[in-house]
Short mmCIF file of all heavy atoms in Angstrom, two decimals:
data_model
loop_
_atom_site.label_atom_id
_atom_site.label_comp_id
_atom_site.label_asym_id
_atom_site.label_seq_id
_atom_site.Cartn_x
_atom_site.Cartn_y
_atom_site.Cartn_z
N ALA A 221 121.92 -60.54 -99.49
CA ALA A 221 122.41 -61.71 -100.24
C ALA A 221 121.75 -61.74 -101.61
O ALA A 221 120.60 -61.33 -101.77
CB ALA A 221 122.10 -62.99 -99.48
N VAL A 222 122.49 -62.24 -102.58
CA VAL A 222 121.93 -62.57 -103.88
C VAL A 222 121.96 -64.09 -104.01
O VAL A 222 122.97 -64.72 -103.70
CB VAL A 222 122.73 -61.90 -105.02
CG1 VAL A 222 122.38 -62.50 -106.37
CG2 VAL A 222 122.48 -60.40 -105.03
N ALA A 223 120.83 -64.65 -104.41
CA ALA A 223 120.73 -66.11 -104.55
C ALA A 223 120.50 -66.46 -106.02
O ALA A 223 119.35 -66.46 -106.49
CB ALA A 223 119.60 -66.63 -103.68
N PRO A 224 121.58 -66.76 -106.75
CA PRO A 224 121.41 -67.10 -108.16
C PRO A 224 120.82 -68.50 -108.33
O PRO A 224 121.00 -69.38 -107.49
CB PRO A 224 122.85 -67.08 -108.72
CG PRO A 224 123.70 -66.45 -107.65
CD PRO A 224 123.00 -66.71 -106.36
N GLY A 225 120.11 -68.67 -109.46
CA GLY A 225 119.80 -70.02 -109.93
C GLY A 225 121.05 -70.54 -110.65
O GLY A 225 122.16 -70.17 -110.31
N ALA A 226 120.85 -71.39 -111.64
CA ALA A 226 122.01 -71.96 -112.34
C ALA A 226 122.58 -70.94 -113.33
O ALA A 226 121.84 -70.38 -114.14
CB ALA A 226 121.61 -73.22 -113.08
N VAL A 227 123.89 -70.72 -113.23
CA VAL A 227 124.58 -69.70 -114.03
C VAL A 227 125.67 -70.37 -114.85
O VAL A 227 126.42 -71.21 -114.32
CB VAL A 227 125.23 -68.64 -113.11
CG1 VAL A 227 125.72 -67.46 -113.93
CG2 VAL A 227 124.27 -68.18 -112.01
N GLU A 228 125.78 -69.99 -116.10
CA GLU A 228 126.82 -70.59 -116.96
C GLU A 228 128.20 -70.06 -116.60
O GLU A 228 128.62 -69.01 -117.07
CB GLU A 228 126.52 -70.31 -118.43
CG GLU A 228 125.52 -71.30 -119.00
CD GLU A 228 125.39 -71.20 -120.50
OE1 GLU A 228 126.41 -71.31 -121.19
OE2 GLU A 228 124.26 -70.98 -120.95
N THR A 229 128.88 -70.81 -115.73
CA THR A 229 130.25 -70.47 -115.31
C THR A 229 131.05 -71.77 -115.24
O THR A 229 130.47 -72.87 -115.32
CB THR A 229 130.28 -69.83 -113.90
OG1 THR A 229 130.00 -70.87 -112.94
CG2 THR A 229 129.29 -68.70 -113.74
N PRO A 230 132.38 -71.67 -115.04
CA PRO A 230 133.19 -72.89 -114.90
C PRO A 230 132.71 -73.82 -113.79
O PRO A 230 132.95 -75.02 -113.83
CB PRO A 230 134.59 -72.34 -114.62
CG PRO A 230 134.61 -71.01 -115.31
CD PRO A 230 133.22 -70.46 -115.13
N MET A 231 131.97 -73.27 -112.79
CA MET A 231 131.50 -74.12 -111.69
C MET A 231 130.56 -75.22 -112.20
O MET A 231 130.47 -76.29 -111.61
CB MET A 231 130.79 -73.28 -110.63
CG MET A 231 130.38 -74.08 -109.41
SD MET A 231 129.70 -73.08 -108.08
CE MET A 231 131.19 -72.66 -107.18
N LEU A 232 129.87 -74.97 -113.30
CA LEU A 232 128.91 -75.95 -113.83
C LEU A 232 129.54 -76.87 -114.89
O LEU A 232 128.84 -77.68 -115.51
CB LEU A 232 127.69 -75.25 -114.45
CG LEU A 232 126.79 -74.46 -113.52
CD1 LEU A 232 125.43 -74.22 -114.17
CD2 LEU A 232 126.58 -75.15 -112.18
N ALA A 233 130.87 -76.75 -115.08
CA ALA A 233 131.53 -77.47 -116.18
C ALA A 233 131.27 -78.98 -116.13
O ALA A 233 131.12 -79.61 -117.18
CB ALA A 233 133.03 -77.18 -116.16
N ASP A 234 131.23 -79.56 -114.94
CA ASP A 234 131.10 -81.01 -114.83
C ASP A 234 129.66 -81.49 -114.66
O ASP A 234 129.42 -82.67 -114.48
CB ASP A 234 131.93 -81.52 -113.64
CG ASP A 234 133.41 -81.26 -113.85
OD1 ASP A 234 133.83 -81.17 -115.03
OD2 ASP A 234 134.14 -81.13 -112.84
N VAL A 235 128.71 -80.56 -114.71
CA VAL A 235 127.31 -80.96 -114.53
C VAL A 235 126.78 -81.54 -115.85
O VAL A 235 126.89 -80.89 -116.90
CB VAL A 235 126.44 -79.75 -114.10
CG1 VAL A 235 124.97 -80.14 -114.02
CG2 VAL A 235 126.93 -79.20 -112.76
N PRO A 236 126.23 -82.76 -115.83
CA PRO A 236 125.74 -83.37 -117.07
C PRO A 236 124.63 -82.53 -117.72
O PRO A 236 123.84 -81.88 -117.01
CB PRO A 236 125.16 -84.72 -116.61
CG PRO A 236 125.75 -84.97 -115.27
CD PRO A 236 126.05 -83.63 -114.66
N GLU A 237 124.58 -82.56 -119.05
CA GLU A 237 123.59 -81.77 -119.80
C GLU A 237 122.16 -82.12 -119.37
O GLU A 237 121.29 -81.25 -119.33
CB GLU A 237 123.75 -82.00 -121.31
CG GLU A 237 124.97 -81.30 -121.91
CD GLU A 237 125.04 -79.80 -121.62
OE1 GLU A 237 123.99 -79.13 -121.72
OE2 GLU A 237 126.13 -79.31 -121.27
N THR A 238 121.92 -83.39 -119.06
CA THR A 238 120.56 -83.80 -118.67
C THR A 238 120.13 -83.11 -117.38
O THR A 238 118.96 -82.73 -117.22
CB THR A 238 120.47 -85.32 -118.46
OG1 THR A 238 121.55 -85.71 -117.62
CG2 THR A 238 120.54 -86.08 -119.77
N VAL A 239 121.07 -82.95 -116.47
CA VAL A 239 120.77 -82.27 -115.20
C VAL A 239 120.48 -80.79 -115.48
O VAL A 239 119.50 -80.22 -114.97
CB VAL A 239 121.94 -82.42 -114.21
CG1 VAL A 239 121.71 -81.57 -112.96
CG2 VAL A 239 122.13 -83.89 -113.83
N LYS A 240 121.30 -80.18 -116.34
CA LYS A 240 121.08 -78.75 -116.68
C LYS A 240 119.71 -78.57 -117.35
O LYS A 240 119.00 -77.59 -117.09
CB LYS A 240 122.17 -78.25 -117.62
CG LYS A 240 123.52 -78.05 -116.96
CD LYS A 240 124.45 -77.34 -117.94
CE LYS A 240 125.89 -77.53 -117.55
NZ LYS A 240 126.83 -77.15 -118.61
N GLN A 241 119.36 -79.53 -118.22
CA GLN A 241 118.06 -79.43 -118.90
C GLN A 241 116.93 -79.47 -117.88
O GLN A 241 115.95 -78.73 -117.99
CB GLN A 241 117.92 -80.57 -119.92
CG GLN A 241 116.73 -80.41 -120.85
CD GLN A 241 116.76 -79.09 -121.64
OE1 GLN A 241 117.75 -78.77 -122.28
NE2 GLN A 241 115.68 -78.32 -121.56
N GLY A 242 117.08 -80.33 -116.87
CA GLY A 242 116.06 -80.41 -115.81
C GLY A 242 115.91 -79.07 -115.10
O GLY A 242 114.79 -78.64 -114.80
N TRP A 243 117.03 -78.41 -114.84
CA TRP A 243 116.97 -77.08 -114.19
C TRP A 243 116.24 -76.09 -115.09
O TRP A 243 115.42 -75.31 -114.63
CB TRP A 243 118.37 -76.55 -113.92
CG TRP A 243 119.13 -77.31 -112.88
CD1 TRP A 243 118.63 -78.12 -111.91
CD2 TRP A 243 120.55 -77.30 -112.71
NE1 TRP A 243 119.66 -78.63 -111.13
CE2 TRP A 243 120.84 -78.14 -111.60
CE3 TRP A 243 121.61 -76.68 -113.36
CZ2 TRP A 243 122.13 -78.36 -111.15
CZ3 TRP A 243 122.91 -76.89 -112.91
CH2 TRP A 243 123.16 -77.73 -111.82
N MET A 244 116.59 -76.12 -116.39
CA MET A 244 115.97 -75.15 -117.31
C MET A 244 114.47 -75.39 -117.40
O MET A 244 113.68 -74.45 -117.43
CB MET A 244 116.62 -75.25 -118.69
CG MET A 244 118.06 -74.74 -118.69
SD MET A 244 118.75 -74.58 -120.34
CE MET A 244 119.58 -76.12 -120.54
N ASP A 245 114.07 -76.68 -117.41
CA ASP A 245 112.65 -77.01 -117.50
C ASP A 245 111.88 -76.51 -116.26
O ASP A 245 110.68 -76.27 -116.35
CB ASP A 245 112.46 -78.53 -117.63
CG ASP A 245 112.96 -79.04 -118.98
OD1 ASP A 245 113.17 -78.22 -119.90
OD2 ASP A 245 113.17 -80.27 -119.10
N ALA A 246 112.58 -76.40 -115.13
CA ALA A 246 111.93 -75.97 -113.89
C ALA A 246 112.04 -74.46 -113.68
O ALA A 246 111.81 -73.95 -112.59
CB ALA A 246 112.54 -76.71 -112.70
N THR A 247 112.39 -73.76 -114.74
CA THR A 247 112.62 -72.31 -114.66
C THR A 247 111.70 -71.59 -115.64
O THR A 247 111.65 -71.98 -116.82
CB THR A 247 114.10 -72.00 -114.99
OG1 THR A 247 114.91 -72.71 -114.06
CG2 THR A 247 114.41 -70.53 -114.89
N ALA A 248 111.01 -70.57 -115.19
CA ALA A 248 110.04 -69.88 -116.06
C ALA A 248 110.69 -69.39 -117.35
O ALA A 248 110.11 -69.51 -118.43
CB ALA A 248 109.41 -68.70 -115.30
N LEU A 249 111.90 -68.85 -117.26
CA LEU A 249 112.55 -68.31 -118.45
C LEU A 249 113.16 -69.39 -119.33
O LEU A 249 113.61 -69.11 -120.45
CB LEU A 249 113.61 -67.27 -118.07
CG LEU A 249 113.08 -65.99 -117.40
CD1 LEU A 249 114.22 -65.02 -117.10
CD2 LEU A 249 112.04 -65.30 -118.29
N GLY A 250 113.22 -70.64 -118.84
CA GLY A 250 113.62 -71.78 -119.67
C GLY A 250 115.07 -71.78 -120.10
O GLY A 250 115.43 -72.41 -121.10
N ARG A 251 115.94 -71.11 -119.37
CA ARG A 251 117.36 -71.09 -119.73
C ARG A 251 118.20 -70.86 -118.49
O ARG A 251 117.66 -70.51 -117.42
CB ARG A 251 117.64 -69.99 -120.75
CG ARG A 251 117.34 -68.59 -120.25
CD ARG A 251 117.74 -67.52 -121.26
NE ARG A 251 117.41 -66.17 -120.81
CZ ARG A 251 118.14 -65.43 -119.98
NH1 ARG A 251 119.27 -65.91 -119.48
NH2 ARG A 251 117.75 -64.22 -119.63
N LEU A 252 119.53 -71.05 -118.62
CA LEU A 252 120.45 -70.71 -117.53
C LEU A 252 120.72 -69.21 -117.55
O LEU A 252 120.46 -68.53 -118.55
CB LEU A 252 121.77 -71.47 -117.70
CG LEU A 252 121.69 -72.99 -117.82
CD1 LEU A 252 123.10 -73.58 -117.90
CD2 LEU A 252 120.94 -73.60 -116.63
N ALA A 253 121.27 -68.70 -116.46
CA ALA A 253 121.66 -67.28 -116.40
C ALA A 253 123.05 -67.10 -116.97
O ALA A 253 123.89 -68.01 -116.91
CB ALA A 253 121.64 -66.80 -114.95
N GLN A 254 123.31 -65.91 -117.48
CA GLN A 254 124.67 -65.49 -117.79
C GLN A 254 125.23 -64.76 -116.56
O GLN A 254 124.46 -64.09 -115.84
CB GLN A 254 124.68 -64.55 -119.01
CG GLN A 254 124.25 -65.24 -120.30
CD GLN A 254 125.12 -66.46 -120.60
OE1 GLN A 254 126.35 -66.37 -120.59
NE2 GLN A 254 124.48 -67.59 -120.85
N PRO A 255 126.54 -64.85 -116.32
CA PRO A 255 127.11 -64.21 -115.12
C PRO A 255 126.76 -62.72 -115.01
O PRO A 255 126.55 -62.20 -113.91
CB PRO A 255 128.62 -64.40 -115.30
CG PRO A 255 128.77 -65.54 -116.25
CD PRO A 255 127.54 -65.60 -117.09
N GLU A 256 126.67 -62.03 -116.15
CA GLU A 256 126.39 -60.58 -116.13
C GLU A 256 125.01 -60.30 -115.54
O GLU A 256 124.78 -59.23 -114.96
CB GLU A 256 126.42 -60.01 -117.56
CG GLU A 256 127.76 -60.12 -118.26
CD GLU A 256 128.15 -61.54 -118.67
OE1 GLU A 256 127.25 -62.37 -118.89
OE2 GLU A 256 129.36 -61.81 -118.75
N GLU A 257 124.09 -61.25 -115.67
CA GLU A 257 122.73 -61.03 -115.15
C GLU A 257 122.71 -61.09 -113.62
O GLU A 257 121.86 -60.48 -112.98
CB GLU A 257 121.77 -62.07 -115.75
CG GLU A 257 121.63 -61.92 -117.26
CD GLU A 257 120.74 -62.98 -117.87
OE1 GLU A 257 121.15 -64.15 -117.95
OE2 GLU A 257 119.60 -62.64 -118.25
N ILE A 258 123.63 -61.84 -113.05
CA ILE A 258 123.78 -61.87 -111.59
C ILE A 258 124.52 -60.61 -111.15
O ILE A 258 124.18 -59.96 -110.15
CB ILE A 258 124.55 -63.14 -111.14
CG1 ILE A 258 123.99 -64.40 -111.80
CG2 ILE A 258 124.56 -63.22 -109.62
CD1 ILE A 258 122.52 -64.65 -111.57
N ALA A 259 125.52 -60.24 -111.94
CA ALA A 259 126.36 -59.08 -111.58
C ALA A 259 125.55 -57.80 -111.48
O ALA A 259 125.80 -56.96 -110.61
CB ALA A 259 127.48 -58.93 -112.63
N GLU A 260 124.55 -57.63 -112.35
CA GLU A 260 123.74 -56.41 -112.31
C GLU A 260 122.98 -56.31 -110.99
O GLU A 260 122.82 -55.23 -110.43
CB GLU A 260 122.77 -56.37 -113.50
CG GLU A 260 123.43 -56.19 -114.85
CD GLU A 260 124.10 -54.82 -115.02
OE1 GLU A 260 123.79 -53.89 -114.25
OE2 GLU A 260 124.93 -54.69 -115.94
N ALA A 261 122.48 -57.44 -110.50
CA ALA A 261 121.75 -57.45 -109.22
C ALA A 261 122.71 -57.13 -108.06
O ALA A 261 122.37 -56.37 -107.14
CB ALA A 261 121.08 -58.80 -109.00
N VAL A 262 123.90 -57.70 -108.12
CA VAL A 262 124.91 -57.44 -107.08
C VAL A 262 125.27 -55.95 -107.08
O VAL A 262 125.35 -55.31 -106.03
CB VAL A 262 126.17 -58.31 -107.30
CG1 VAL A 262 127.28 -57.93 -106.33
CG2 VAL A 262 125.82 -59.80 -107.17
N ALA A 263 125.47 -55.40 -108.28
CA ALA A 263 125.86 -53.99 -108.39
C ALA A 263 124.78 -53.08 -107.82
O ALA A 263 125.08 -52.08 -107.15
CB ALA A 263 126.14 -53.65 -109.86
N PHE A 264 123.53 -53.42 -108.04
CA PHE A 264 122.42 -52.63 -107.47
C PHE A 264 122.50 -52.62 -105.93
O PHE A 264 122.40 -51.58 -105.28
CB PHE A 264 121.08 -53.19 -107.94
CG PHE A 264 119.90 -52.64 -107.18
CD1 PHE A 264 119.54 -51.30 -107.29
CD2 PHE A 264 119.15 -53.46 -106.34
CE1 PHE A 264 118.46 -50.78 -106.56
CE2 PHE A 264 118.08 -52.95 -105.62
CZ PHE A 264 117.72 -51.61 -105.73
N LEU A 265 122.69 -53.81 -105.35
CA LEU A 265 122.70 -53.90 -103.88
C LEU A 265 123.95 -53.24 -103.27
O LEU A 265 123.92 -52.80 -102.12
CB LEU A 265 122.59 -55.36 -103.44
CG LEU A 265 121.22 -55.99 -103.70
CD1 LEU A 265 121.25 -57.50 -103.45
CD2 LEU A 265 120.14 -55.33 -102.84
N LEU A 266 125.03 -53.17 -104.03
CA LEU A 266 126.23 -52.48 -103.54
C LEU A 266 126.07 -50.96 -103.59
O LEU A 266 126.70 -50.25 -102.82
CB LEU A 266 127.44 -52.84 -104.42
CG LEU A 266 128.09 -54.20 -104.24
CD1 LEU A 266 129.17 -54.38 -105.30
CD2 LEU A 266 128.68 -54.37 -102.84
N SER A 267 125.24 -50.49 -104.48
CA SER A 267 125.22 -49.06 -104.79
C SER A 267 124.31 -48.29 -103.84
O SER A 267 123.39 -48.85 -103.24
CB SER A 267 124.74 -48.84 -106.22
OG SER A 267 123.33 -48.87 -106.26
N PRO A 268 124.53 -46.99 -103.72
CA PRO A 268 123.64 -46.15 -102.91
C PRO A 268 122.21 -46.15 -103.45
O PRO A 268 121.28 -45.74 -102.74
CB PRO A 268 124.27 -44.75 -103.03
CG PRO A 268 125.70 -45.01 -103.40
CD PRO A 268 125.69 -46.24 -104.25
N ALA A 269 121.99 -46.63 -104.67
CA ALA A 269 120.63 -46.71 -105.23
C ALA A 269 119.74 -47.65 -104.41
O ALA A 269 118.51 -47.57 -104.48
CB ALA A 269 120.69 -47.17 -106.69
N SER A 270 120.34 -48.54 -103.64
CA SER A 270 119.55 -49.50 -102.83
C SER A 270 119.63 -49.14 -101.35
O SER A 270 119.59 -50.03 -100.49
CB SER A 270 120.04 -50.92 -103.06
OG SER A 270 121.40 -51.02 -102.70
N SER A 271 119.72 -47.85 -101.04
CA SER A 271 120.04 -47.41 -99.67
C SER A 271 119.05 -47.84 -98.59
O SER A 271 119.38 -47.83 -97.41
CB SER A 271 120.20 -45.88 -99.64
OG SER A 271 119.02 -45.28 -100.16
N TYR A 272 117.81 -48.24 -98.97
CA TYR A 272 116.84 -48.69 -97.95
C TYR A 272 116.65 -50.21 -97.98
O TYR A 272 115.72 -50.74 -97.39
CB TYR A 272 115.50 -47.97 -98.14
CG TYR A 272 114.64 -47.96 -96.89
CD1 TYR A 272 115.12 -47.44 -95.69
CD2 TYR A 272 113.36 -48.49 -96.90
CE1 TYR A 272 114.34 -47.44 -94.54
CE2 TYR A 272 112.57 -48.50 -95.75
CZ TYR A 272 113.07 -47.97 -94.57
OH TYR A 272 112.30 -47.97 -93.44
N VAL A 273 117.55 -50.91 -98.66
CA VAL A 273 117.45 -52.37 -98.75
C VAL A 273 118.54 -53.00 -97.89
O VAL A 273 119.74 -52.80 -98.15
CB VAL A 273 117.63 -52.86 -100.21
CG1 VAL A 273 117.42 -54.38 -100.28
CG2 VAL A 273 116.68 -52.14 -101.15
N THR A 274 118.15 -53.71 -96.85
CA THR A 274 119.12 -54.48 -96.07
C THR A 274 118.45 -55.73 -95.51
O THR A 274 117.23 -55.80 -95.43
CB THR A 274 119.79 -53.63 -94.97
OG1 THR A 274 120.97 -54.31 -94.52
CG2 THR A 274 118.87 -53.35 -93.79
N ALA A 275 119.27 -56.73 -95.16
CA ALA A 275 118.78 -58.01 -94.62
C ALA A 275 117.87 -58.73 -95.62
O ALA A 275 116.98 -59.47 -95.23
CB ALA A 275 118.06 -57.80 -93.29
N HIS A 276 118.10 -58.49 -96.89
CA HIS A 276 117.24 -59.06 -97.93
C HIS A 276 117.98 -60.15 -98.71
O HIS A 276 119.19 -60.07 -98.90
CB HIS A 276 116.81 -57.94 -98.89
CG HIS A 276 115.81 -58.39 -99.90
ND1 HIS A 276 114.53 -58.77 -99.57
CD2 HIS A 276 115.92 -58.54 -101.24
CE1 HIS A 276 113.88 -59.13 -100.66
NE2 HIS A 276 114.70 -59.00 -101.69
N VAL A 277 117.22 -61.14 -99.16
CA VAL A 277 117.78 -62.15 -100.06
C VAL A 277 117.10 -61.97 -101.41
O VAL A 277 115.88 -62.14 -101.53
CB VAL A 277 117.53 -63.59 -99.56
CG1 VAL A 277 118.17 -64.60 -100.51
CG2 VAL A 277 118.07 -63.76 -98.14
N LEU A 278 117.87 -61.59 -102.40
CA LEU A 278 117.33 -61.34 -103.74
C LEU A 278 117.56 -62.57 -104.63
O LEU A 278 118.71 -62.90 -104.96
CB LEU A 278 118.01 -60.10 -104.35
CG LEU A 278 117.59 -59.72 -105.77
CD1 LEU A 278 116.09 -59.49 -105.88
CD2 LEU A 278 118.34 -58.45 -106.20
N ASP A 279 116.46 -63.26 -104.96
CA ASP A 279 116.57 -64.40 -105.88
C ASP A 279 116.75 -63.87 -107.30
O ASP A 279 115.96 -63.03 -107.74
CB ASP A 279 115.30 -65.24 -105.81
CG ASP A 279 115.27 -66.13 -104.58
OD1 ASP A 279 116.22 -66.91 -104.39
OD2 ASP A 279 114.31 -66.03 -103.79
#
Side-chain angles (χ1 to χ4, degrees):
V222 166
V227 190
E228 277 190 56
T229 72
M231 186 174 271
L232 295 198
D234 296 334
V235 175
E237 286 306 317
T238 49
V239 173
K240 287 189 199 166
Q241 191 58 52
W243 292 340
M244 291 190 266
D245 292 344
T247 301
L249 294 182
R251 62 175 178 82
L252 305 183
Q254 294 304 309
E256 298 71 27
E257 296 177 287
I258 312 303
E260 291 293 343
V262 173
F264 167 67
L265 290 171
L266 284 175
S267 82
S270 59
S271 56
Y272 201 56
V273 184
T274 196
H276 186 67
V277 182
L278 178 56
D279 282 304

